[in-house]
Amino acid sequence: MAVAHRACFVAGFLFILLLPGCEARIHKLTLKNETRHTIDLNNFGFYADGTLDVHLFSLRVPETLVDYSKSPVGFSLSRSRVNGVLSYTAEESETCPLTLKKSTNDEPLILFLIDIKKQSVNVIAMGKQDNILMAEEKVEADKGQKKVKRASGEQSKNPDKLVVLPKQADKQSDDKKSEQIAQNPKAEAVNVPGTFNLSSRSQLTLDLGEIHGTYNFSFRMVFGSEAEGLYSLKFHYCQNREPGINRAYSFAVEVTEKNPDGYLSAAEIPLSRLYLYMAGVFFTAALVWVYNLMKHSYSVFKIHWLMAALAFTKSTSLVFHSINYHFINTEGHPIEGWAVMYYITHLLKGALLFITLALIGTGWCFVKYILSDKEKKIFMIVIPLQVLANVAYIIIESTEEGSSEYYVWKEILFLVDLICCGAILFPVVWSIRHLQEASSTNGKDAMYLEKLKLFRHYYVMIVCYIYFTRIIAILLKITMPFQWQWCYEFLVEVSTLIFFVLTGYKFRPASNNPYLQLPQDKDDVENDEVVTESGTLEGISKVKKTSNGRERQKESTL
């Protein structure tokens, strides 16, 4: 257990260090000497009147040896029909999306092509658009006078357009209008430059600022009722798609996404209430379980209290998870103290879950009081792996999606979780194989084989639980509409509740529980030996079946 304690300490120290960098729905990402051709900045579900603000700073790209007309660089904003299915097909995604001429199935697709030589950003809107773009349009010099290209005629015909953000000449006026837009995104249009209805204007040119060899620009997108959906914002450096080319570039970007009701994505808005309700259900189930333990205290094992601790920890973790989402929705980022409490309870819940499942699977307390060497090694593997899985989860939550570390830790989390799920099934396989061999030779272990047959229902429950929460629920998530993807979390929590209730029912402390009333063979019991790693006889234990069906150790000799 010393290993587990050290691992928990390291995990706690790591997530305390990582939390200050967590920005939640207000994203700040800085990349230096990056060579990836595509960077997934974020995915977010927008309702009507939702807003997306993007500010690109300090963009530094090679200005020579690159033809940006053939290998463009810039952003793409595409809508997914469902999670992970973008508005361009898999065949099209093999080429650079910035070179596409049209979108698939008329889905909204907006490209921002950065032209370094002309210091401009060419915006191309494809598909069915119901979006409002607010940005600074390209300014041209004509005889010492600056003219602004406008679409005032088109804007005056549409009274539903937004109040725009004026140019940065008057910063105070800019801030006031930003507040008005945030309060009422669909305010009455004013005939000023900077607001563009992409349904009527599919191409325009924005201004690209330049400071000491670095480039910057910003834009705001407001989504209409027909443009609701799950959007993916990506940065592309198309030339690095070519084999053998890895040109380095650097930039910093700040992305702020917001729906009318807060900073949460459409699929995450119900999660705060969902986790709070489920916390109440798990807490009620834990109280019922403790009441049952007190009522049948004469047949209670230590593992029964471990199961109670797991239920209370699960409830507490859900409460802090709900609070965490509440502050993300209202503030745009989690409150550090509440986030720390959530990660602590999440780590404890994960460790308790796999420890409890493995102990019940080995038959500890129910069938035997001492674990074999192989079973002890399983715990020495599962506990550190669970700590690693929780560290990976914390790093994923605290790291921006566009960073390269994000995907590395995401793969580590997936792999470690699968290893843990498989590891808790190994004791079952070992026990059944050993007892089958023993019963086939002398028949004396047939009684223990019968015990393991009674546990078969429990093993099937574990497999079904793992299969549903890791595979079925994920498949349902990627096929659901964007606003219903919270149902994935609902299905996972409900399946966890059902699994906890069934496990408690199967192993409830009662005299009429068939799992605790297993036939004993006196000769087998008296010859039950515990062998150490050296193979010498360490002790013989005699057990006696009590009137309530529980086996209790009576005598132990060395």
Side-chain angles (χ1 to χ4, degrees):
M1 288 298 172
V3 175
H5 291 161
R6 288 195 296 268
C8 291
F9 174 78
V10 172
F13 180 73
L14 279 174
F15 71 66
I16 290 174
L17 289 180
L18 288 168
L19 274 174
C22 182
E23 291 292 336
R25 285 8 175 221
I26 301 176
H27 308 272
K28 295 179 181 178
L29 177 65
T30 301
L31 298 176
K32 295 183 178 180
N33 298 321
E34 186 61 63
T35 58
R36 288 178 289 170
H37 58 78
T38 301
I39 298 176
D40 296 313
L41 294 177
N42 200 33
N43 296 280
F44 195 86
F46 290 97
Y47 282 127
D49 297 334
T51 59
L52 169 67
D53 290 280
V54 178
H55 301 275
L56 177 67
F57 308 99
S58 305
L59 173 64
R60 189 183 298 273
V61 295
E63 298 188 20
T64 58
L65 305 177
V66 180
D67 186 358
Y68 288 107
S69 62
K70 296 181 179 179
S71 301
V73 57
F75 295 94
S76 70
L77 181 63
S78 55
R79 187 173 74 175
S80 308
R81 293 185 293 278
V82 293
N83 188 28
V85 183
L86 301 178
S87 59
Y88 43 87
T89 63
E91 291 78 10
E92 292 170 336
S93 63
E94 293 178 359
T95 62
C96 185
L98 298 183
T99 61
L100 296 178
K101 302 301 181 182
K102 64 178 182 179
S103 65
T104 305
N105 297 328
D106 208 28
E107 290 288 340
L109 174 62
I110 306 171
L111 305 179
F112 297 85
L113 308 180
I114 299 175
D115 192 330
I116 301 297
K117 294 181 179 180
K118 296 182 179 180
Q119 292 190 13
S120 62
V121 179
N122 299 317
V123 180
I124 303 175
M126 306 178 190
K128 187 177 181 180
Q129 297 286 340
D130 186 23
N131 301 320
I132 300 295
L133 175 65
M134 293 181 292
E136 184 177 355
E137 196 174 10
K138 176 66 176 177
V139 175
E140 293 181 350
D142 184 13
K143 297 180 181 181
Q145 299 293 329
K146 292 185 177 181
K147 296 183 179 180
V148 180
K149 296 181 180 180
R150 305 183 182 182
S152 57
E154 296 176 359
Q155 293 174 3
S156 60
K157 294 179 182 178
N158 190 350
D160 292 331
K161 291 184 181 178
L162 303 177
V163 178
V164 310
L165 291 173
K167 293 182 160 246
Q168 297 178 350
D170 187 354
K171 189 174 182 180
Q172 293 181 351
S173 176
D174 195 23
D175 293 338
K176 291 180 180 179
K177 298 234 173 159
S178 296
E179 294 177 0
Q180 294 175 2
I181 293 170
Q183 294 173 359
N184 187 7
K186 283 293 183 180
E188 186 178 354
V190 177
N191 188 18
V192 289
T195 298
F196 310 98
N197 192 333
L198 297 182
S199 62
S200 59
R201 187 171 181 181
S202 59
Q203 294 188 10
L204 61 144
T205 303
L206 305 180
D207 185 46
L208 180 66
E210 191 267 336
I211 301 177
H212 304 301
T214 63
Y215 302 93
N216 59 84
F217 84 101
S218 60
F219 66 89
R220 164 175 284 197
M221 189 74 66
V222 182
F223 300 87
S225 58
E226 296 182 2
E228 292 182 342
L230 180 66
Y231 282 81
S232 177
L233 178 66
K234 298 185 178 184
F235 180 86
H236 304 273
Y237 191 85
C238 294
Q239 192 176 47
N240 284 354
R241 285 179 173 268
E242 299 178 11
I245 297 180
N246 289 298
R247 300 191 186 280
Y249 58 90
S250 304
F251 69 88
V253 65
E254 180 177 343
V255 181
T256 303
E257 301 137 329
K258 192 173 183 181
N259 273 310
D261 295 329
Y263 287 94
L264 288 178
S265 177
E268 297 172 331
I269 292 175
L271 290 183
S272 180
R273 293 190 299 270
L274 171 64
Y275 289 141
L276 190 61
Y277 294 153
M278 294 305 300
V281 174
F282 275 99
F283 185 76
T284 302
L287 290 179
V288 173
W289 177 252
V290 171
Y291 171 77
N292 195 30
L293 296 185
M294 300 298 293
K295 184 178 179 181
H296 302 279
S297 58
Y298 53 84
S299 57
V300 172
F301 295 109
K302 292 180 180 179
I303 198 170
H304 285 133
W305 293 109
L306 188 62
M307 295 163 70
L310 173 60
F312 281 114
T313 305
K314 172 67 175 177
S315 176
T316 307
S317 176
L318 287 174
V319 170
F320 289 124
H321 206 177
S322 175
I323 295 174
N324 206 33
Y325 267 102
H326 169 74
F327 284 111
I328 291 175
N329 189 45
T330 56
E331 305 292 335
H333 57 83
I335 303 301
E336 186 172 332
W338 291 110
V340 168
M341 295 304 298
Y342 163 63
Y343 288 134
I344 291 175
T345 54
H346 180 79
L347 187 149
L348 292 176
K349 182 261 298 180
L352 279 175
L353 175 62
F354 280 89
I355 290 173
T356 304
L357 294 183
L359 284 175
I360 297 176
T362 59
W364 183 68
C365 283
F366 298 115
V367 176
K368 57 187 176 183
Y369 287 93
I370 301 177
L371 299 175
S372 66
D373 292 333
K374 283 185 177 181
E375 292 165 347
K376 290 178 181 178
K377 290 178 181 178
I378 286 293
F379 287 98
M380 296 299 293
I381 295 173
V382 169
I383 294 176
L385 283 179
Q386 264 300 297
V387 173
L388 177 60
N390 282 276
V391 170
Y393 174 79
I394 294 166
I395 292 177
I396 290 173
E397 289 290 305
S398 306
T399 305
E400 291 298 337
E401 188 174 345
S403 63
S404 57
E405 295 84 1
Y406 178 88
Y407 297 97
V408 173
W409 283 102
K410 195 171 184 179
E411 293 174 358
I412 291 175
L413 175 61
F414 179 76
L415 178 62
V416 170
D417 189 59
L418 287 181
I419 293 175
C420 290
C421 292
I424 61 175
L425 296 176
F426 272 98
V428 180
V429 177
W430 292 339
S431 299
I432 292 178
R433 181 181 299 175
H434 169 72
L435 292 171
Q436 283 177 340
E437 292 174 357
S439 61
S440 62
T441 56
N442 53 25
K444 284 194 173 183
D445 284 333
M447 178 267 297
Y448 288 101
L449 183 58
E450 185 177 355
K451 289 184 177 182
L452 287 177
K453 286 180 180 179
L454 291 177
F455 278 76
R456 186 172 298 171
H457 292 163
Y458 173 68
Y459 304 145
V460 172
M461 286 164 48
I462 293 180
V463 173
C464 291
Y465 172 70
I466 294 173
Y467 184 77
F468 184 83
T469 56
R470 268 66 177 179
I471 299 177
I472 300 298
I474 295 176
L475 292 177
L476 291 175
K477 180 180 179 180
I478 64 176
T479 56
M480 289 179 178
F482 77 100
Q483 68 269 33
W484 292 101
Q485 288 177 12
W486 61 270
C487 293
Y488 161 76
E489 299 293 341
F490 174 73
L491 292 174
V492 170
E493 296 301 332
V494 169
S495 62
T496 302
L497 177 64
I498 294 174
F499 177 72
F500 280 17
V501 170
L502 290 178
T503 302
Y505 177 77
K506 293 289 185 182
F507 298 97
R508 65 193 183 279
S511 59
N512 59 348
N513 188 349
Y515 278 81
L516 308 181
Q517 276 191 337
L518 298 172
Q520 295 270 351
D521 182 76
K522 184 176 180 180
D523 294 333
D524 288 337
V525 170
E526 291 180 352
N527 289 281
D528 185 17
E529 298 180 353
V530 180
V531 182
T532 63
E533 292 181 358
S534 63
T536 58
L537 184 65
E538 185 182 69
I540 300 176
S541 300
K542 292 184 178 181
V543 297
K544 182 179 180 180
K545 180 179 174 183
T546 61
S547 59
N548 58 27
R550 175 185 174 184
E551 294 176 2
R552 182 173 55 195
Q553 185 172 345
K554 298 293 292 180
E555 215 172 11
S556 181
T557 60
L558 297 175

